[in-house]
Amino acid sequence: MNDWVSYICDNLPPAMLYNFMISLNILLSHSISAMTTIKDIAKMAGVSHGTVSNVLNGRGNVSVKKIKLVEEAAQKLGYQLNVQAKILKEGVANSVSIILPNIIIEQFSHLYNKLFFSLNELGYETTIYLTYDSAELELQFIQKIATKRDSAIIVVSCLENANAYYQNLSIAPEKIIFVYNRPKFAEKFVSLDYKNAGETIAKTIMDKHFINIGLLLDHKKYTYTQTFKKGLLNTFKHADYDINLNIEFTSNSIGYSKAYNFFSNHDVKYDAIITTGIEKADYIINASYFGSQQSCPPIYTLGNTSCMYRDNIHQYQMHYSLLSQCIIDLIEGKKTKLPINTNYRQLFDTHSDISVEKQAINVLMLSSPITETVKKLLPHCYKMTGITVNLITKSIDEIHEILHNLADHPEIDVSWVDVACFPWFARSKFKPLTELKLNLVQSLSQYSTYIIERFSHFNNVPYALPFDPSIQMLFYRKDIFNDSLVKRYYFERYHQPLVVPTDFREFNQLTEFFNQYFNPDSPIKFGSCITLGKPELLASEFLLRYYANGGRLVQGTTIELDKMIASITLHEFEQFLYVAENLDSDWWGESVKQFEDGNIAMLIVYMNLFSCVLNPEILHLTGYAAVPGDKPLLGGGSLCMSKYSDKDNAVSAFFDWLFSPVINEQMAWLNGSTVTDSISMGQQLMNNYPWLKLNKANYFSGVRENVMDKEFYLDLPRIEKIIGHHLLLWTKQQYSSDQTIDNLNLELLLKTKQLLN
């Protein structure tokens, strides 16, 4: 029989072969079932044939009890569902084949890495095939793929003609996506704008007045190689710029040896060498070290990131992740703009343009993970600017009190300020940044207009630079939420599907469901938790729910809670306190640790605090979403210069260093909390901290009421402390809900003048 099947596979046309494989797989499936059938499972489990079919295929309204019986019976009988036959019978496979030359070169490895994560998140299975630039191997892969029913094919092809795909595969032509290289007749092609990349590097070469240039490029048959070369040479030609060029093309096997060709003639000294990838830049460095008596010339290369510093290598950022996202959009049938023109930026260290005598400045910072990140990078600040930075770390309450009395602290040059009270202090305590010599345009260009308005400007004057803007987000255990058995338990208990909560009624219900005290079958100890150690934290938990119910603090010309909305919110809050784990801690760090340790199913916390989670097993299982009600509190703060400091130049140089693209990227890698536009396009960072994408989009819904009638500014931390104090008394049952609302509104009314600026 094997010879007969082999003969048919070798001789049937692809379309007929596909139909034959459908029949063969179904026949084999039935043969296997004849040994261990669904009827056998049904008999052992004591359920119907249809129930077994529904359980094995993940369909139907089946009880938890019956699911367990079927799974146990199937396991005892050694039954395995023939998934391939099921796919062929249904005519649909949620799978994607990816064909690449290799995954060693950065642009290909990043392409696959992003595609894998994104497609997996969308429910696709991926299969990768590596051709190593062999056309024969690629043709063999096409034949293998022809027996499947993929949703799409993604290929960096080494073929001269695309018809091999269209003639052998039954998939729609628009679902065969050619990347980087465009063979003849290829219908759907995507690439980055390598022409722009070549032009950009050429302009830098001319600015440096370099003449002798070496080019180490990828294989000449690739479309992107020729496009890059054309952009480079045409720029020189149009500018009538005379250069001496030596061009070498590489492939996987000869790339390293080709690098030595630039140093074979010891009489030739290159002003610069240009490469199309970081691997080839490393080849040049090695070839120079071992094959030349001269120092290595500066290398200009395309690369995905500047995170890893390399001496003498100047990178120009290619956002490979944008290309991957474009491909995902095409697979999903979304519109996308081609070619993809990324924002290239020169990535290498520069010394500050500001002349500064060696000075020391004192920076008052919140004790937090991101402050520890800054501390790690300060040696680099000294190397670049000659400035010694002394970090003074305090709690948020201590910083607030110091700012109220900043005139008594002339030693402080720079201070962190909470977004909640930034408008309150801006004009009276800080210098306008326009009085300094810093590169304000570059520093603020990394942020959205909304962030600048909330964290930088006061009455259209910049007083601060956004340091650690953040919002509250919902993190949850997606493995538990996607577990079919858990879903069925939930449905039987509440007669509702188990989904990520979008309001606090659902959130409270899920918190109860996942609490093992109320539900011994819960796969996790608690549904969620709440931190009760400080009044401000309690106020934050309450206000999140109060805003979700439509409440406001500023009521016309007064500061008070809406009694009806506050009463509804307290009722919901009381239910949550009863079913959640109560933590007696003075910060959210303990709640984050509970999530990281796998003790809770859901956590609402500020995004920049969640970046402390380092457990890879938990991070891999973590889902993220907007908070219930989609009215998160805006958090984090900014850095400002004290009006009582006279170290303008030193502070300017420090700000230029701290808010430069290079340091911004390093901080993102070390901490994972950032909202800058350039970082949000970094592929590996998005893989490590995928919630940053959602976080950036949700800033516009962030709430923090620190302004009244666009004229009066609120000391919001003191308002929140008043609210939290009364809530604390309420949790201890000293006052009823109505009494609590009346008491705190009365205190807010009495202290209104103190709370307004």
Side-chain angles (χ1 to χ4, degrees):
M1 180 176 174
N2 289 339
D3 293 339
W4 174 70
V5 172
S6 298
Y7 175 81
I8 291 176
C9 290
D10 291 338
N11 292 279
L12 276 182
M16 292 181 65
L17 176 62
Y18 176 74
N19 291 327
F20 167 73
M21 292 303 295
I22 290 177
S23 303
L24 179 61
N25 272 276
I26 293 173
L27 177 63
L28 291 173
S29 176
H30 287 169
S31 298
I32 293 169
S33 296
M35 293 179 282
T36 302
T37 68
I38 287 178
K39 289 181 180 179
D40 295 331
I41 298 172
K43 183 177 180 181
M44 177 176 282
V47 298
S48 70
H49 179 280
T51 297
V52 175
S53 179
N54 285 337
V55 172
L56 295 179
N57 290 284
R59 301 191 299 260
N61 185 17
V62 185
S63 69
V64 170
K65 181 180 178 181
K66 289 181 179 179
I67 290 173
K68 286 186 174 181
L69 288 171
V70 170
E71 289 180 345
E72 288 171 4
Q75 186 176 10
K76 287 178 181 178
L77 293 170
Y79 181 88
Q80 291 184 338
L81 182 68
N82 192 326
V83 177
Q84 186 66 19
K86 174 178 175 287
I87 289 171
L88 291 171
K89 184 178 180 180
E90 294 178 356
V92 176
N94 219 23
S95 61
V96 175
S97 288
I98 302 172
I99 303 176
L100 300 176
N102 60 74
I103 51 172
I104 298 172
I105 292 179
E106 184 183 46
Q107 69 191 102
F108 301 144
S109 65
H110 279 288
L111 176 67
Y112 175 69
N113 202 28
K114 175 66 175 177
L115 286 173
F116 174 81
F117 277 100
S118 299
L119 289 169
N120 183 60
E121 199 170 85
L122 291 169
Y124 292 94
E125 292 184 0
T126 57
T127 305
I128 185 171
Y129 302 88
L130 302 180
T131 66
Y132 297 99
D133 288 323
S134 167
E136 182 179 349
L137 200 54
E138 186 172 341
L139 290 170
Q140 291 178 22
F141 292 150
I142 293 173
Q143 295 301 318
K144 283 186 178 182
I145 293 169
T147 65
K148 299 166 61 182
R149 187 66 170 173
D150 283 325
S151 299
I153 312 294
I154 302 165
V155 54
V156 179
S157 179
C158 59
L159 301 181
E160 293 184 1
N161 192 310
N163 283 335
Y165 284 88
Y166 302 133
Q167 292 171 358
N168 287 279
L169 302 179
S170 59
I171 188 172
E174 64 269 16
K175 295 296 184 180
I176 303 173
I177 303 168
F178 291 90
V179 186
Y180 288 130
N181 187 40
R182 187 169 200 168
K184 290 180 182 178
F185 311 116
E187 293 189 24
K188 189 66 69 173
F189 171 67
V190 296
S191 184
L192 295 172
D193 193 343
Y194 280 86
K195 178 174 177 288
N196 187 31
E199 292 169 349
T200 303
I201 292 181
K203 290 173 184 175
T204 302
I205 294 297
M206 292 189 291
D207 289 341
K208 298 287 186 181
H209 306 294
F210 292 154
I211 301 298
N212 293 322
I213 309 298
L215 296 182
L216 185 59
L217 307 178
D218 286 312
H219 203 295
K220 65 174 67 178
K221 67 182 176 183
Y222 286 126
T223 305
Y224 73 87
T225 300
Q226 293 299 331
T227 304
F228 176 77
K229 176 188 169 188
K230 185 176 180 180
L232 192 76
L233 300 186
N234 282 351
T235 303
F236 291 136
K237 182 179 179 180
H238 292 157
D240 291 326
Y241 189 83
D242 292 327
I243 55 171
N244 299 321
L245 271 182
N246 179 17
I247 303 176
E248 296 282 355
F249 294 98
T250 70
S251 67
N252 292 323
S253 57
I254 62 173
Y256 187 68
S257 62
K258 286 274 188 175
Y260 277 78
N261 293 347
F262 292 99
F263 305 102
S264 58
N265 186 344
H266 299 299
D267 295 329
V268 176
K269 184 176 181 180
Y270 290 96
D271 296 318
I273 295 178
I274 301 168
T275 76
T276 49
I278 196 67
E279 303 83 11
K280 287 172 280 298
D282 287 335
Y283 293 166
I284 294 294
I285 288 178
N286 258 33
S288 173
Y289 181 77
F290 290 107
S292 174
Q293 296 178 354
Q294 302 173 0
S295 59
C296 184
I299 301 168
Y300 293 82
T301 186
L302 305 181
N304 186 63
T305 175
S306 67
C307 175
M308 300 302 173
Y309 174 77
R310 289 176 168 89
D311 190 27
N312 212 33
I313 296 180
H314 308 301
Q315 295 185 57
Y316 289 78
Q317 190 168 33
M318 302 287 287
H319 289 303
Y320 298 128
S321 59
L322 288 184
L323 182 63
S324 301
Q325 187 56 55
C326 168
I327 295 168
I328 299 295
D329 290 343
L330 289 173
I331 292 174
E332 292 288 285
K334 299 177 182 177
K335 291 184 178 180
T336 187
K337 186 178 180 181
L338 298 170
I340 302 167
N341 185 9
T342 63
N343 295 319
Y344 295 92
R345 61 186 178 99
Q346 197 163 319
L347 301 171
F348 53 87
D349 285 334
T350 54
H351 291 267
S352 173
D353 294 332
I354 303 168
S355 177
V356 183
E357 294 183 8
K358 289 190 176 182
Q359 288 185 345
I361 61 172
N362 297 314
V363 180
L364 179 62
M365 297 280 271
L366 179 67
S367 180
S368 68
I370 196 168
T371 297
E372 292 303 309
T373 298
V374 174
K375 188 181 295 185
K376 293 174 183 176
L377 296 170
L378 286 179
H380 183 267
C381 179
Y382 183 80
K383 282 193 291 187
M384 294 295 105
T385 66
I387 297 167
T388 300
V389 178
N390 301 315
L391 293 184
I392 305 168
T393 57
K394 300 287 184 180
S395 71
I396 195 167
D397 291 339
E398 291 172 323
I399 291 176
H400 193 235
E401 289 305 311
I402 289 173
L403 290 177
H404 271 287
N405 303 284
L406 194 56
D408 298 331
H409 298 274
E411 75 280 3
I412 294 175
D413 302 296
V414 174
S415 177
W416 179 89
V417 59
D418 190 348
V419 65
C421 54
F422 165 61
W424 173 275
F425 290 119
R427 187 167 47 192
S428 61
K429 304 297 181 182
F430 306 130
K431 280 187 181 179
L433 297 183
T434 49
E435 295 182 7
L436 306 182
K437 296 179 180 178
L438 57 88
N439 191 342
L440 191 59
V441 173
Q442 174 184 274
S443 298
L444 290 179
S445 66
Q446 305 175 79
Y447 302 97
S448 68
T449 303
Y450 181 78
I451 293 295
I452 293 172
E453 289 174 351
R454 298 302 301 268
F455 288 83
S456 175
H457 284 54
F458 172 80
N459 286 346
N460 297 319
V461 177
Y463 281 89
L465 288 170
F467 178 63
D468 57 350
S470 188
I471 56 169
Q472 293 167 312
M473 294 180 66
L474 170 64
F475 299 92
Y476 63 93
R477 286 285 298 276
K478 63 182 179 182
D479 59 319
I480 297 176
F481 272 73
N482 292 333
D483 186 283
S484 58
L485 203 58
V486 173
K487 286 182 174 182
R488 188 60 205 175
Y489 269 124
Y490 188 82
F491 185 83
E492 290 184 358
R493 190 181 184 100
Y494 299 105
H495 304 291
Q496 295 171 348
L498 174 58
V499 295
V500 178
T502 57
D503 60 46
F504 279 103
R505 184 199 62 79
E506 295 173 350
F507 185 78
N508 288 355
Q509 187 168 283
L510 282 162
T511 302
E512 178 189 51
F513 173 73
F514 286 121
N515 188 324
Q516 288 180 352
Y517 178 82
F518 300 102
N519 176 19
D521 292 319
S522 171
I524 199 164
K525 197 171 181 181
F526 295 101
S528 190
C529 64
I530 182 169
T531 304
L532 303 171
K534 290 179 70 175
E536 303 93 299
L537 306 187
L538 196 54
S540 176
E541 298 278 1
F542 169 80
L543 287 172
L544 172 64
R545 292 159 172 80
Y546 177 69
Y547 288 131
N549 285 325
R552 302 289 296 175
L553 276 177
V554 177
Q555 310 286 350
T557 57
T558 62
I559 309 165
E560 61 180 333
L561 297 180
D562 180 292
K563 188 166 184 177
M564 185 178 72
I565 296 176
S567 179
I568 293 170
T569 304
L570 278 179
H571 177 68
E572 291 177 346
F573 199 30
E574 185 176 29
Q575 292 176 328
F576 176 67
L577 286 169
Y578 181 64
V579 297
E581 181 187 17
N582 288 203
L583 301 174
D584 186 19
S585 179
D586 62 0
W587 199 241
W588 285 290
E590 179 59 29
S591 63
V592 174
K593 187 176 186 302
Q594 288 295 309
F595 188 90
E596 184 174 25
D597 290 344
N599 294 328
I600 57 176
M602 301 179 296
L603 174 67
I604 294 176
V605 72
Y606 284 99
M607 176 274 297
N608 57 353
L609 299 178
F610 193 80
S611 62
C612 301
V613 174
L614 300 175
N615 184 342
E617 293 183 7
I618 291 296
L619 283 174
H620 176 67
L621 301 174
T622 298
Y624 49 91
V627 295
D630 201 20
K631 293 291 182 183
L633 294 191
L634 202 59
S638 307
L639 292 184
C640 311
M641 182 178 180
S642 169
K643 67 185 299 183
Y644 305 104
S645 170
D646 60 358
K647 298 179 181 178
D648 291 26
N649 283 352
V651 170
S652 297
F654 170 67
F655 279 166
D656 274 349
W657 169 79
L658 184 61
F659 293 95
S660 67
V662 170
I663 298 305
N664 182 259
E665 184 176 45
Q666 288 296 319
M667 289 178 64
W669 275 97
L670 288 168
N671 184 261
S673 56
T674 180
V675 293
T676 59
D677 291 338
S678 58
I679 294 302
S680 67
M681 292 188 286
Q683 176 175 321
Q684 192 57 47
L685 275 170
M686 289 298 105
N687 291 342
N688 290 353
Y689 310 105
W691 55 85
L692 291 179
K693 178 171 56 179
L694 179 66
N695 172 62
K696 181 182 174 184
N698 281 6
Y699 267 100
F700 295 100
S701 58
V703 181
R704 215 60 187 270
E705 292 181 273
N706 51 16
V707 180
M708 178 187 287
D709 292 337
K710 298 182 181 180
E711 182 178 354
F712 298 104
Y713 304 94
L714 309 182
D715 190 354
L716 192 54
R718 289 191 173 177
I719 294 173
E720 293 173 347
K721 189 172 287 189
I722 290 171
I723 294 172
H725 171 72
H726 286 281
L727 289 173
L728 198 58
L729 296 177
W730 171 76
T731 62
K732 296 177 180 178
Q733 298 182 340
Q734 295 188 22
Y735 297 98
S736 68
S737 295
D738 287 343
Q739 288 173 325
T740 298
I741 298 168
D742 290 339
N743 290 343
L744 73 85
N745 275 343
L746 179 60
E747 184 172 355
L748 289 174
L749 180 63
L750 293 174
K751 293 188 176 180
T752 295
K753 289 186 179 180
Q754 298 176 26
L755 301 170
L756 290 176
N757 187 356

